[in-house]
Amino acid sequence: MDRLVWCDESLLPGEVNTLQQHCVRIYDGEDKTTFDNGLLQLTSHRLIWDDQDQDGRTLCLYHSAVTRLEDIRGSLTKSHKIASFLKPPEAKRDVSQQIIVASRYDFVRFSFRKGGQSEFLSAYKQQLSKKLWDLPQIKALPSKPVAQARTTRGAPIRSGIMGIERKMEAKRLETDKNISEAFQDLSALMEKAKEMVALAESVTKKLEEKKGSLTDDETTQLKSYLLSVGIANPVTRTTHGSGAVYHRELAKQLAVFLEPQLREAGGIMTMQDIYCRFNRARGMELVSPEDLVCACETFSVLALPVSVKLFDSGVLAVELRTHNEESFLKDVHARVCEAMSLSADELSQQLNISIMLAKERLIVAESSGMLCRDDSVEGLRFYDNRFREAATAAT
């Protein structure tokens, strides 16, 4: 961090701006800094970070100070980052323009909170390999104080209130232009999305009407296409706030989404399957596991047609309120008797449900006395409980 210096947005003679990325945060090694949200520009000679929240906070890191780059992959909770490893600072140097006098790290990290890290890293490596800053007319410029810097036309840098106002006005005009262009594209996309959702609903109705005329493979393929169409207007924190209101609206949308799918899945589905299907339908507006569970917990309060079921093993599932547990267990018992014995894998294939849910059903049937188990080296299998029949006959 001690290699970053204050600067302005004007380019140096011969310097070319090649790429930029919004919403970039700067780390001093492993430590967070106050430089939280900025526009990162890649030029032929340096990185320029311009604060998007506070005017007058512009930093730069010269390519000549960088030794190597490291790609730090992100996860669901962490953003992608680029680490720039730096040369040791020179013994005699002007520290008046530095952000800090000394740092305990020999690298800085740039966190790309809105993506674009891969493209930026590739372009960054290209600029480092070109070494355009080694040109004679540029080498003396890094040590030149910012207060004495000039624009490419030789005019002095604008400062004071008027300069800040001009900068703010230019940013506002650029933002308005970008928003207008974005909403034009978004409006066209939403119109197409409405048409696709209407088409999906129409196809679903026709599928129900012609249920017997389609093969199982055709039905499965068509339903996968309908699922990929997604949800037209997903409930988000941006549109419905946070807390209880957001979870209630999310629960209503989730219930509408799940009802037809639960009917196809035998009336019950594990929370893991619901999480995957629901987020796939929402596209980019993903829901966290915590928000999904909180939304499901409000099903009973809102009197929705679905409810949460917790098995003794701790497996969480959602089922239709019309789901008949007793008839389902009788069906499981009949299938086991017909096949002589069944494993969780075999039952899941017959009922078209997950193996985890099939195992829970077999265990519940065992707890009710219908089945008994044989746990051997070949795996866990369930049989008809003839011990109960023998006990009944004896009495």
Side-chain angles (χ1 to χ4, degrees):
M1 195 73 180
D2 54 356
R3 308 306 306 276
L4 274 79
V5 295
W6 297 108
C7 66
D8 59 81
E9 296 181 27
S10 59
L11 297 179
L12 302 171
E15 187 177 20
V16 179
N17 195 349
T18 60
L19 188 63
Q20 62 183 24
Q21 180 62 46
H22 292 274
C23 299
V24 176
R25 173 187 292 161
I26 300 179
Y27 286 78
D28 180 15
E30 300 290 342
D31 301 335
K32 283 187 177 181
T33 66
T34 58
F35 305 107
D36 190 61
N37 179 33
L39 172 68
L40 186 63
Q41 303 177 60
L42 174 66
T43 75
S44 55
H45 297 74
R46 54 185 173 161
L47 290 179
I48 302 175
W49 185 90
D50 185 31
D51 200 322
Q52 300 295 285
D53 298 327
Q54 300 182 40
D55 287 320
R57 294 219 311 172
T58 305
L59 321 175
C60 70
L61 174 64
Y62 288 92
H63 295 339
S64 58
V66 179
T67 58
R68 65 183 178 91
L69 302 177
E70 181 178 322
D71 183 16
I72 303 175
R73 307 301 296 174
S75 62
L76 289 175
T77 57
K78 294 183 179 180
S79 58
H80 297 290
K81 299 178 180 66
I82 295 176
S84 297
F85 287 83
L86 310 174
K87 297 177 182 177
E90 298 177 359
K92 295 182 179 181
R93 53 178 176 151
D94 183 11
V95 298
S96 61
Q97 301 298 327
Q98 289 183 200
I99 310 303
I100 58 175
V101 176
S103 172
R104 60 195 181 105
Y105 298 102
D106 64 345
F107 67 96
V108 293
R109 294 191 301 172
F110 299 95
S111 174
F112 291 74
R113 296 155 59 190
K114 296 294 184 181
Q117 169 260 359
S118 297
E119 181 183 2
F120 200 96
L121 177 62
S122 177
Y124 196 0
K125 289 181 177 178
Q126 289 181 6
Q127 295 304 322
L128 289 179
S129 63
K130 291 178 180 178
K131 296 187 177 182
L132 297 179
W133 63 88
D134 276 339
L135 295 177
Q137 65 270 25
I138 300 301
K139 291 184 70 175
L141 289 173
S143 61
K144 192 173 182 178
V146 176
Q148 299 175 2
R150 302 282 175 173
T151 64
T152 54
R153 296 183 180 180
I157 301 169
R158 294 191 181 100
S159 59
I161 296 176
M162 290 300 295
I164 294 175
E165 288 181 348
R166 290 192 189 97
K167 182 178 179 181
M168 292 176 64
E169 180 65 18
K171 283 187 177 180
R172 186 188 66 78
L173 293 174
E174 182 182 359
T175 302
D176 290 344
K177 180 182 177 182
N178 292 336
I179 290 175
S180 299
E181 293 176 355
F183 271 104
Q184 288 177 0
D185 296 338
L186 183 60
S187 299
L189 182 61
M190 290 302 296
E191 289 299 323
K192 290 294 182 183
K194 290 178 182 178
E195 294 177 9
M196 292 300 294
V197 171
L199 176 62
E201 293 175 353
S202 173
V203 172
T204 303
K205 291 179 181 178
K206 292 180 179 179
L207 183 62
E208 291 295 328
E209 295 172 359
K210 300 181 179 180
K211 199 166 186 179
S213 61
L214 295 175
T215 65
D216 292 340
D217 291 339
E218 290 173 338
T219 303
T220 302
Q221 186 177 11
L222 185 57
K223 286 179 179 177
S224 67
Y225 292 156
L226 296 179
L227 184 62
S228 65
V229 171
I231 298 173
N233 298 300
V235 174
T236 63
R237 291 186 181 275
T238 304
T239 57
H240 293 82
S242 59
V245 176
Y246 167 67
H247 290 140
R248 284 198 299 268
E249 294 301 320
L250 186 63
K252 294 176 183 177
Q253 188 172 74
L254 180 59
V256 173
F257 173 78
L258 285 179
E259 196 171 0
Q261 299 203 39
L262 286 172
R263 290 197 189 97
E264 295 292 334
I268 189 168
M269 194 181 297
T270 61
M271 195 66 72
Q272 292 92 326
D273 291 338
I274 292 172
Y275 175 78
C276 294
R277 294 193 182 197
F278 192 49
N279 273 329
R280 178 183 175 187
R282 287 174 64 90
M284 298 297 292
E285 301 293 344
L286 301 181
V287 175
S288 67
E290 293 80 7
D291 286 335
L292 184 67
V293 172
C294 290
C296 292
E297 289 174 350
T298 63
F299 285 160
S300 58
V301 178
L302 300 174
L304 295 173
V306 293
S307 61
V308 178
K309 180 178 180 62
L310 179 63
F311 289 96
D312 294 337
S313 63
V315 174
L316 204 59
V318 174
E319 63 180 0
L320 291 169
R321 290 191 181 276
T322 56
H323 180 66
N324 191 318
E325 182 78 6
E326 185 177 352
S327 63
F328 194 91
L329 292 179
K330 288 181 179 179
D331 179 59
V332 171
H333 180 239
R335 290 176 183 273
V336 172
C337 292
E338 182 180 355
M340 300 300 292
S341 69
L342 283 178
S343 64
D345 183 32
E346 294 168 345
L347 182 63
S348 69
Q349 293 179 17
Q350 290 188 17
L351 297 178
N352 195 25
I353 59 178
S354 65
I355 296 178
M356 182 186 300
L357 194 55
K359 183 179 180 181
E360 291 298 328
R361 285 309 192 186
L362 290 168
I363 292 175
V364 172
E366 179 193 24
S367 301
S368 64
M370 295 181 178
L371 304 176
C372 60
R373 69 169 64 191
D374 177 27
D375 197 353
S376 64
V377 292
E378 296 180 354
L380 179 62
R381 300 189 67 84
F382 290 84
Y383 294 80
D384 178 31
N385 187 8
R386 298 186 179 180
F387 299 103
R388 182 184 62 171
E389 297 175 3
T392 303
T395 56

